């Protein structure tokens, strides 16, 4: 059985006619920690959107946990994503009128696992990420940026995903909070044996990772002028 959780092969993707990404190969092994950097506009978020199955490549394939995403319907990709991928967005994307706990439980219910993780598991995971039950009971809008970020991390990890992808999740944090968040996140991903693909232009974070990738080096596409 393959231990790969991600395989991108002969990938071509563009939002418009000009390709943004031309990528021969990108693989991530189970439990591996990969740091992906690149300047603004180099295609980092586009690559994560492909890996999440939010968009499909023009050519080539993206397989997550052994499944080629193009072989699934849009609803099938939603289920596959909820089950096998954890995603932490730069702006966290929490549902503002729900409590932190309900944000997490909503994600858990979408994971399609026979018996979805419940409140007890959510609280235990939250505790490992230093979020108390009292804080989790607050609406997302009533939490600090750092607390919202940890709720987003709990939501991303509640189904123990094979692969966790994170798009600049520390950009709103000061140095101390950033380092502490990285420690908590990577400790938990190790506990779950989740691979991590972490996107950032902040090279100070690279030391936390097993492998460093520079997107412009991997990417054969010519950057769009003006980007
Ligand atoms: N939804 C979209 N529709 C059209 N073009 C897009 C879209 N999203 C990104 N692009 C374009 O694709 C290219 C790559 O953008 P992308 O957001 O992937 O880069 P990035 O490396 O994540 O940048 P940043 O670090 O600034 O977030 C840019 O030229 C951008 O303008």
């Amino acid at each position: 059985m393959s231990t790969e959780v991600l395989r991108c092969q002969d990938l071509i993707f563009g939002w418009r006619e000009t390709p943004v990404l031309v990528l021969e190969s990108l693989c991530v092994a189970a439990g591996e920690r990969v740091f992906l950097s690149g300047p603004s506009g180099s295609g980092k978020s586009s690559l994560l959107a492909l890996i999440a199955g939010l968009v499909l490549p023009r050519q080539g394939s993206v397989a997550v946990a052994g499944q080629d995403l193009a072989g699934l319907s849009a609803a099938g990709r939603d289920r596959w994503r909820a089950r096998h991928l954890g995603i932490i967005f730069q702006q966290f994307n929490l549902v503002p009128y729900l409590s932190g706990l309900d944000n997490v439980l909503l994600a858990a219910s979408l994971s399609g696992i026979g018996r979805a993780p419940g409140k007890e598991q959510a609280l235990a995971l939250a505790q490992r990420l230093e979020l108390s039950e009292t804080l989790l009971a607050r609406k997302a809008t009533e939490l600090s940026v750092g607390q919202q970020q940890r709720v987003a991390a709990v939501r991303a990890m509640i189904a123990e995903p094979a692969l966790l992808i994170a798009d600049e999740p520390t950009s709103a944090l000061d140095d101390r909070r950033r380092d502490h968040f990285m420690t908590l996140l990577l400790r938990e991903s190790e506990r779950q044996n989740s691979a991590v693909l972490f996107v950032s232009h902040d090279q100070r974070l690279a030391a936390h990772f097993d492998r460093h990738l520079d997107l412009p080096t991997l990417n054969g596409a010519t950057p769009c002028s003006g980007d």
Side-chain angles (χ1 to χ4, degrees):
M1 210 180 90
S2 162
T3 58
E4 273 174 8
V5 292
L6 174 69
R7 170 174 285 267
C8 302
Q9 200 70 47
D10 301 319
L11 214 57
I12 300 184
F13 172 77
W15 294 100
R16 298 195 182 85
E17 203 179 328
T18 315
V20 168
L21 292 168
V22 176
L23 237 154
E24 206 177 297
S25 170
L26 169 63
C27 296
V28 175
E32 193 181 16
R33 296 172 172 185
V34 179
F35 182 74
L36 179 75
S37 59
S40 178
S42 60
K44 303 181 299 295
S45 300
S46 303
L47 180 59
L48 293 189
L50 278 165
I51 293 169
L54 298 169
V55 292
L56 291 175
R58 204 173 285 171
Q59 278 181 42
S61 62
V62 178
V64 172
Q67 170 68 51
D68 183 350
L69 299 180
L72 297 171
S73 64
R77 288 200 300 278
D78 289 346
R79 281 193 296 273
W80 197 259
R81 182 187 314 122
R83 176 80 193 262
H84 298 283
L85 260 187
I87 308 177
I88 308 178
F89 300 95
Q90 188 171 11
Q91 307 296 338
F92 316 140
N93 292 8
L94 297 174
V95 182
Y97 54 83
L98 291 181
S99 70
L101 181 63
D102 286 339
N103 267 280
V104 173
L105 294 179
L106 178 64
S109 71
L110 296 175
S111 69
I113 297 171
R115 214 170 141 271
K119 183 175 170 183
E120 220 168 280
Q121 279 151 286
L123 291 178
L125 172 55
Q127 199 171 32
R128 292 196 293 277
L129 293 179
E130 298 183 357
L131 273 174
S132 66
E133 187 168 357
T134 314
L135 278 178
L136 270 190
R138 286 199 203 155
K139 273 190 204 169
T141 47
E142 291 165 9
L143 295 170
S144 74
V145 171
Q147 290 160 350
Q148 287 182 51
Q149 182 199 46
R150 276 175 285 144
V151 172
V154 175
R155 181 181 62 178
M157 301 182 93
I158 188 66
E160 305 207 346
L163 175 63
L164 178 67
I165 60 179
D167 192 357
E168 306 256 14
T170 58
S171 54
L173 300 184
D174 61 34
D175 291 4
R176 193 178 56 81
R177 288 200 173 83
R178 185 196 61 215
D179 288 337
H180 191 55
F181 175 73
M182 291 305 296
T183 303
L184 294 177
L185 184 79
L186 293 175
R187 192 173 65 193
E188 184 59 25
S189 68
E190 193 172 344
R191 207 190 70 86
Q192 298 189 353
N193 196 33
S194 299
V196 181
L197 179 61
F198 192 99
V199 164
S200 179
H201 59 255
D202 186 349
Q203 292 294 339
R204 288 172 300 182
L205 298 175
H208 293 281
F209 293 83
D210 304 322
R211 190 152 59 103
H212 305 161
L213 298 174
D214 173 52
L215 188 54
T217 307
L218 287 180
N219 190 4
T222 312
C224 297
S225 57
D227 288 338

